[in-house]
Amino acid sequence: MRKLIIAIAALCIATAAYAGDADASRRYDAASVRASRFFKYQEWQSALAMYEVMLDLRPDDVASYYHAIFTCGMLGNDDEQMRFFERTQKQGIALDSIFSGVKSISFASGEGREYEKLLLLVRDRQPWLSRGINVYLLEYYDFRHNARGVIEIAESMLSDTPESLQLAHILARAYIMENRTDDALRCYRYILTHQPDDYEALLNSGIFYYTALSSASDPAQRADYAALAQTYLFDAWRICPTPHVADILGKLSQR
């Protein structure tokens, strides 16, 4: 008899728990539908209230976090944005999951600046994450062809990791966009010191010196530029013998 009573009690508890779970699931689904509608029509404050409800019901819901963080950004509320961000940290949610989610929403909404603002905010409020945040910022600035942003981040990162030739390449391209030819050539010389057969560094260095020939007035300087262009471009041609490089080498040999 005692065993029967225990079994019935356990069944009642399980039934109550199931009913509670079902009710929570219905409330979550209802809030999700409303949040999507509010978000679509840019009713940011109402959308945020629904994300609060959803996260109270499911504290580990990654998508609700990055939607809430983006929404706070659209409301211009940095403190609330950081409150949600810190909640993700307490839940042990990976930074990449949050940043990737906000980036995706920002780009899809035509509000790419919100992604950048979040990265800058987190870097400012949690400086111990600066190194990792800078990687995301560099990727964003490089994608947006923001040369000045790339230079600011990449120069700092390269001083910490001078062995990174990928960083040197990114920095060189940014210098080119800013017409800082001497700095770009410095990067390419650095790359070639560590990797003499780097095709991009050889090709771009050769093209720079070949192009500079037309503006050099001093005969000795022209001779130096022609020799450097020929050296770099010949090494590039040996790695990848394209007709374009062969044509330039032909013109140089006729000088």
Side-chain angles (χ1 to χ4, degrees):
M1 186 66 177
R2 183 170 178 274
K3 289 183 179 180
L4 179 60
I5 292 172
I6 292 173
I8 293 172
L11 179 61
C12 290
I13 291 170
T15 302
Y18 176 79
D21 288 344
D23 180 60
S25 180
R26 283 194 296 270
R27 285 190 290 142
Y28 176 90
D29 291 342
S32 178
V33 170
R34 297 180 70 188
S36 297
R37 184 169 63 250
F38 289 138
F39 189 93
K40 177 180 179 180
Y41 292 106
Q42 300 184 5
E43 297 178 29
W44 305 121
Q45 199 65 60
S46 297
L48 188 60
M50 291 300 100
Y51 294 131
E52 284 274 21
V53 171
M54 294 164 69
L55 288 169
D56 285 343
L57 293 167
R58 296 184 186 174
D60 59 349
D61 185 8
V62 177
S64 292
Y65 278 117
Y66 59 68
H67 275 85
I69 289 169
F70 173 84
T71 301
C72 288
M74 295 303 293
L75 288 167
N77 195 328
D78 292 352
D79 291 338
E80 278 294 280
Q81 207 167 27
M82 284 305 300
R83 182 174 70 83
F84 280 106
F85 184 79
E86 287 164 3
R87 284 177 66 179
T88 71
Q89 294 173 308
K90 291 175 182 177
Q91 288 294 325
I93 296 171
L95 289 179
D96 191 61
S97 297
I98 299 302
F99 289 144
S100 296
V102 173
K103 178 183 178 181
S104 178
I105 297 172
S106 298
F107 282 25
S109 305
E111 299 286 351
R113 180 82 173 87
E114 288 302 318
Y115 174 61
E116 179 192 6
K117 283 166 57 182
L118 173 64
L119 293 174
L120 293 172
L121 176 65
V122 174
R123 189 179 68 174
D124 178 62
R125 299 283 184 93
Q126 298 188 352
W128 56 90
L129 294 177
S130 291
R131 192 163 185 169
I133 299 295
N134 280 341
V135 174
Y136 289 101
L137 280 168
L138 182 63
E139 180 189 51
Y140 172 76
Y141 289 142
D142 193 35
F143 173 75
R144 298 300 291 259
H145 302 294
N146 181 340
R148 293 185 182 181
V150 167
I151 291 169
E152 178 187 351
I153 299 293
E155 283 182 340
S156 172
M157 291 178 67
L158 195 58
S159 66
D160 293 333
T161 54
E163 72 281 0
S164 176
L165 300 186
Q166 181 184 8
L167 262 179
H169 270 297
I170 293 171
L171 187 55
R173 289 195 293 269
Y175 284 141
I176 292 170
M177 286 190 280
E178 286 288 288
N179 293 316
R180 293 172 57 176
T181 304
D182 289 343
D183 288 322
L185 286 171
R186 174 173 51 81
C187 284
Y188 287 134
R189 283 194 296 270
Y190 176 81
I191 292 167
L192 292 169
T193 298
H194 294 82
Q195 194 166 315
D197 60 348
D198 188 289
Y199 179 75
E200 182 181 335
L202 290 168
L203 178 64
N204 286 344
S205 297
I207 294 296
F208 279 138
Y209 285 115
Y210 176 71
T211 303
L213 279 170
S214 60
S215 59
S217 55
D218 180 65
Q221 188 180 54
R222 288 176 61 83
D224 287 342
Y225 285 172
L228 286 166
Q230 193 165 32
T231 298
Y232 284 123
L233 289 173
F234 181 71
D235 286 344
W237 181 82
R238 285 194 303 178
I239 295 168
C240 183
T242 65
H244 176 60
V245 174
D247 180 58
I248 296 175
L249 285 170
K251 291 176 181 177
L252 285 168
S253 66
Q254 295 170 12
R255 287 180 175 272

